Amino acid sequence: MLACTNMNKRTSLLGWAFAVLIALAIGQRWLPAHPPSLRDSGRTAAADLTRFPAEEQQAIDATVTLLKAGGPFPYGKDGSEFSNREGRLPQLGPGYYREYTVETAGSPDRGARRIVSGRAGEIYYTRDHYQNFIRLN
């Protein structure tokens, strides 16, 4: 009887281990890597931005140019701290990131597009208000 109980426990444990492995394999195949924004971080800005409309590319370029020049920026919140609450960018401590508005043609407000820069000079672009990022440099 004892041998049978141990065999059932072992079989049950193997079944659970197999189920976990299957779930991990499925997750790797169908779920995007986290954070999805950094998968393409090795690409150049030109390669990443070509899939966007010309208007969006120009707006990104204009904001990056202002950022590199130190302003002036069109919105009062430009240059404010980006806290990275979503955890989509590397966690590098309070005050590390700053955010800047990328103009959205026809938008009545700041829209969803932003440039986020880090203290070390890295620049990221999000077109969907911090859900996904593309590293520009």
Side-chain angles (χ1 to χ4, degrees):
M1 177 79 173
L2 185 59
C4 184
T5 303
N6 285 339
M7 178 71 89
N8 287 340
K9 285 182 183 177
R10 224 176 304 164
T11 304
S12 179
L13 183 59
L14 286 173
W16 276 104
F18 183 72
V20 168
L21 287 174
I22 294 296
L24 288 172
I26 289 171
Q28 288 296 316
R29 182 174 178 186
W30 289 316
L31 295 177
H34 184 74
S37 54
L38 300 180
R39 285 186 304 219
D40 299 331
S41 63
R43 292 183 178 181
T44 64
D48 283 328
L49 299 181
T50 57
R51 65 179 178 235
F52 299 137
E55 173 275 322
E56 189 171 358
Q57 292 177 41
Q58 291 168 352
I60 293 165
D61 289 340
T63 302
V64 170
T65 299
L66 282 176
L67 174 61
K68 290 180 177 180
F73 299 102
Y75 293 91
K77 291 189 175 187
D78 286 345
S80 63
E81 181 180 346
F82 174 70
S83 61
N84 195 25
R85 282 188 299 271
E86 296 83 358
R88 303 276 198 258
L89 298 178
Q91 296 290 346
L92 295 170
Y96 185 86
Y97 295 108
R98 299 281 166 195
E99 68 174 277
Y100 303 87
T101 306
V102 175
E103 291 280 340
T104 303
S107 178
D109 56 18
R110 290 176 67 206
R113 303 188 313 195
R114 302 283 187 278
I115 292 289
V116 174
S117 66
R119 235 184 268 152
E122 64 275 45
I123 299 173
Y124 300 92
Y125 172 63
T126 178
R127 67 191 316 217
D128 54 12
H129 208 256
Y130 319 123
Q131 293 306 303
N132 296 284
F133 286 88
I134 297 168
R135 185 162 178 173
L136 300 182
N137 64 349

